[in-house]
Amino acid sequence: KFKAEGLIASTFTPFTEEGEINVEVIPDYADYLLDNGVKSVFVNGVDGEWTSLTSEERKQVIEAWLWIASKSVNNH
């Protein structure tokens, strides 16, 4: 059961200069959010760039955040 508490960030999707999604920077992005008190994220949500992503790209972004969440849960 999910209970929303504290700050929840609507994340942006990072891109390379070439316009490709850049999931490699998501761990640093997650660390930044955690260091600033954000405990939850809303991925592929309301920021708008998700509409220009393919289903596969959206899946890659979600999988990157899920990987981070699994590491965070295991370390806390």
Side-chain angles (χ1 to χ4, degrees), residues 16-41:
T16 66
E17 289 184 22
E18 293 78 24
E20 302 293 324
I21 59 169
N22 187 2
V23 296
E24 292 179 11
V25 301
I26 291 177
D28 289 336
Y29 183 21
D31 286 341
Y32 172 81
L33 293 173
L34 277 171
D35 290 346
N36 286 282
V38 176
K39 302 292 184 199
S40 301
V41 293

Side-chain angles (χ1 to χ4, degrees), residues 1-75:
K1 183 176 179 182
F2 173 75
K3 182 178 179 185
E5 292 183 5
L7 296 174
I8 301 173
S10 177
T11 61
F12 65 88
T13 302
F15 292 90
T16 66
E17 289 184 22
E18 293 78 24
E20 302 293 324
I21 59 169
N22 187 2
V23 296
E24 292 179 11
V25 301
I26 291 177
D28 289 336
Y29 183 21
D31 286 341
Y32 172 81
L33 293 173
L34 277 171
D35 290 346
N36 286 282
V38 176
K39 302 292 184 199
S40 301
V41 293
F42 186 63
V43 179
N44 288 341
V46 298
D47 291 339
E49 78 272 355
W50 66 273
T51 59
S52 65
L53 300 176
T54 65
S55 295
E56 182 59 35
E57 289 170 326
R58 288 184 204 134
K59 182 179 174 184
Q60 289 173 3
V61 172
I62 291 168
E63 287 174 345
W65 281 102
L66 287 172
W67 180 81
I68 292 164
S70 72
K71 297 297 180 191
S72 179
V73 168
N74 291 330
N75 290 327

